[in-house]
């Protein structure tokens, strides 16, 4: 806590200012739970338009520029004194000086996708200095500015409202819509059932006669709301007390970068997949290491009802600006029969705290410790494919994401002409390339989703290239795609000199801005060559001429 207070004092001393020159209004806040990740920053409204000026929030230097990474589209990173880095995302374009740095890097590295690092002396910036204009690039679904704060050393996500909260006016309290009971299988019941069940908060003090016996965890569906904003936001702080004693707290102030997928364990992920509503648990699964979660009993926040009396439960939800609201309900301890835990097949169980090697004929699944929220019993399904390169495997009856990558190896069932063209394909919605390394009759890839179906695939088909032509007076456009292992890289050449083609947002189109290239308008014919390469090193070459 002292360390966090020191962070706040230092942040105040650095005097951060907003990145825009109009009143702040948020469409999204820090730490909102989303499938497989927390929202790592705040989404600042730009009036549903692009082109608003974006400024550095404090003195520092531009330390990194990316294009096409992490769903950020065009992004600028600014490192500040005191150990902070801010990230400005979904930008339409950089200021000309930064654009010049980017162009030089792109031509040197022959890449349209950019991840360039700058030295402290390359591009210093002052507080309030223009660095870009806002846009809608990357995974953005509407124009806005996504702003992140990070601890420069650890790269943990920090709540931007710790630094910019004074520029927001908000007196609206968070709201809890419902709570959910999670009876522990074989150890507890709630209202006579061992199943999960939810109950709406029709008022802040429920009078319904709930009963429980044994061990039961709880969770809530809650949102924050902000004055002058229509956004549905995440809740910063949650506290659960039982008979006045604090049992559980969450404070979404700082999230380690590598722990972001643990949001699936904090939330009821299985229910979210069905309802798109997050019930965040007020207890901690044993494999969940999120430091923002705190339990104050021996059961990691699970409550034991072992006396026939009333238990008073109170939830307190608070936003980043201190607005708070209480919700309460009473649970009567009532002795009753607890159904036994179902019999499991121990040979199908993966342990959260140890190395798991799950082997079956033609399959080896390697899941390291730290990838699971708790022990899980697989429900494996194999589809024997007589004409396939391997059998197809899935491991769970529904979506079950891991915290990080595991390894999968499948046995090749028939010989192929070129083993370097083999890879693992994941079928879950869209087909995904999951890597592929062949050795001694096995192909090894990676997986993060136990509910997907995996098999060996073969790709000796080159990418497709189409749609070449002028797009306006000074832009060349071409379309490159690959329907199997996926496009890996591409290169354009005019008169044997490299020219940059950049991806266009939300399409397979690539564009060369001739005015920014080494090619000068002469009115003569030019030789054009374009090469596309997929993830199995299949190449397609397109050659033509054009007049410019």
């Amino acid at each position: 806590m002292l360390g966090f207070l020191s962070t706040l004092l230092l942040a105040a001393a650095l005097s951060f200012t907003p990145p825009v020159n109009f009143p702040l209004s948020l469409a999204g806040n820090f730490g909102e739970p989303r499938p497989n990740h927390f929202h790592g920053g705040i989404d600042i409204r730009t009036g549903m338009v692009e082109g608003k000026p974006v400024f550095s929030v404090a003195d520092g230097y531009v330390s990194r520029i990316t294009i096409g990474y992490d769903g950020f589209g065009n992004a600028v990173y600014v490192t500040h004194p005191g150990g902070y880095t801010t990230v400005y995302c979904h930008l339409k374009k950089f200021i000309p000086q930064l654009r010049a740095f980017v162009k030089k890097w792109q031509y040197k590295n022959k890449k349209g996708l950019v991840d360039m690092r700058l030295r402290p002396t390359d591009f210093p910036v002052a507080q309030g200095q223009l660095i870009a204009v806002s846009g809608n690039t990357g995974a953005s679904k509407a124009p806005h500015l996504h702003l992140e704060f990070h601890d420069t050393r650890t790269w943990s996500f920090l709540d931007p409202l710790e630094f910019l909260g004074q520029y927001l006016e908000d007196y609206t309290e968070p709201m809890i819509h419902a709570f959910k009971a999670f009876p522990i299988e074989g150890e507890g019941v709630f209202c006579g059932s061992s199943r999960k069940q939810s109950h709406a908060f029709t008022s802040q003090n429920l009078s319904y006669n709930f009963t429980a016996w044994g061990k039961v965890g709880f969770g809530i569906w809650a949102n924050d709301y902000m004055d002058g904003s229509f956004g549905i936001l995440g809740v910063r702080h949650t506290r659960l007390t039982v008979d006045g004693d604090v049992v559980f707290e969450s404070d979404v102030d700082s999230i380690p970068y590598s722990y972001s997928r643990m949001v699936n364990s904090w939330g009821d992920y299985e229910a979210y997949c069905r309802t798109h509503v997050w019930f965040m648990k007020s207890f901690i699964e044993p494999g969940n290491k999120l430091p923002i979660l705190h339990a104050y009993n021996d059961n990691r926040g699970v409550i034991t009802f072992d006396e026939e009396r009333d238990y008073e439960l109170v939830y307190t939800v608070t936003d980043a600006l201190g607005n708070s609201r209480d919700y309460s309900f009473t649970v009567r301890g009532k002795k009753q029969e607890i159904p036994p835990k179902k019999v499991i097949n121990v040979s199908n169980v993966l342990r959260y705290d140890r190395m798991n090697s799950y082997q079956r004929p033609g399959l080896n699944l390697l899941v390291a410790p730290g990838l699971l929220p708790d022990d899980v019993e697989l429900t494996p399904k194999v589809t024997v494919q007589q004409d396939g390169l391997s059998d197809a495997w899935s491991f769970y009856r529904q979506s079950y994401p891991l915290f990080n990558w595991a390894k999968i190896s499948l046995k090749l069932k028939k010989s192929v002409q070129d083993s370097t063209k083999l890879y693992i394909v994941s079928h879950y919605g869209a087909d995904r390339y999951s890597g592929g390394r062949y050795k001694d009759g096995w192909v090894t890839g990676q997986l993060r989703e136990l509910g997907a179906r995996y098999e060996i695939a073969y790709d000796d088909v080159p990418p497709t290239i189409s749609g070449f032509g002028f797009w306006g007076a000074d832009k060349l456009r071409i379309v490159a795609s690959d329907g199997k292992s996926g496009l890996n890289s591409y290169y354009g050449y005019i008169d044997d000199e490299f020219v940059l083609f950049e991806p266009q947002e939300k399409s397979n189109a690539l564009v060369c801005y001739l005015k920014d290239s080494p090619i000068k308008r002469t009115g003569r014919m030019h030789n054009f060559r374009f090469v596309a390469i997929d993830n199995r090193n299949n190449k397609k070459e397109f050659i033509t001429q054009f007049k410019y």
Side-chain angles (χ1 to χ4, degrees), residues 75 78 84 93 212 401 426:
V78 178
Y84 304 109
K93 58 184 178 180
S426 165

Side-chain angles (χ1 to χ4, degrees), residues 497-510:
E497 188 165 6
F498 173 79
V499 292
L500 178 67
F501 275 82
E502 299 180 78
Q504 298 303 287
E505 289 299 324
K506 305 168 180 67
S507 79
N508 292 323
L510 307 162

Side-chain angles (χ1 to χ4, degrees), residues 68 110 159 444 466 483:
K110 297 184 177 181
D159 187 352
T444 300
S466 62

Side-chain angles (χ1 to χ4, degrees), residues 95-246:
I95 59 173
Q97 301 95 316
L98 290 179
R99 179 62 177 162
F101 272 101
V102 170
K103 280 292 184 185
K104 183 178 179 180
W105 186 95
Q106 287 175 312
Y107 271 91
K108 179 182 178 181
N109 292 274
K110 297 184 177 181
K111 286 184 177 180
L113 299 180
V114 173
D115 186 0
M116 63 176 296
R117 312 299 172 111
L118 286 76
R119 298 167 297 185
T121 55
D122 285 339
F123 203 90
V125 294
Q127 185 179 66
Q129 181 174 334
L130 181 69
I131 55 175
V133 295
S134 67
N136 188 31
T137 58
S140 173
K141 295 180 180 179
H144 72 283
L145 172 65
H146 176 81
L147 174 68
E148 294 185 356
F149 275 72
H150 289 265
D151 181 306
T152 303
R153 182 180 60 85
T154 66
W155 207 243
S156 290
F157 297 94
L158 306 174
D159 187 352
L161 295 190
E162 294 290 354
F163 308 87
L164 300 174
Q166 67 269 32
Y167 298 101
L168 283 164
E169 187 168 335
D170 177 32
Y171 301 99
T172 303
E173 302 96 344
M175 179 182 295
I176 302 180
H177 306 290
F179 78 86
K180 179 177 284 190
F182 296 80
I184 305 304
E185 186 183 2
E187 299 183 69
V189 291
F190 188 81
C191 290
S193 173
S194 58
R195 295 180 177 272
K196 296 185 295 184
Q197 51 192 280
S198 59
H199 298 271
F201 273 107
T202 53
S203 69
Q204 288 181 240
N205 301 285
L206 293 181
S207 58
Y208 189 83
N209 295 320
F210 301 107
T211 63
W213 194 250
K215 295 181 179 180
V216 181
F218 291 87
I220 54 172
W221 167 26
N223 294 113
D224 189 24
Y225 302 88
M226 191 167 285
D227 293 10
S229 172
F230 297 104
I232 300 174
L233 311 175
V235 174
R236 167 63 186 267
H237 186 271
T238 300
R239 176 186 291 118
L240 172 62
T241 64
V242 179
D243 298 333
D245 295 326
V246 180

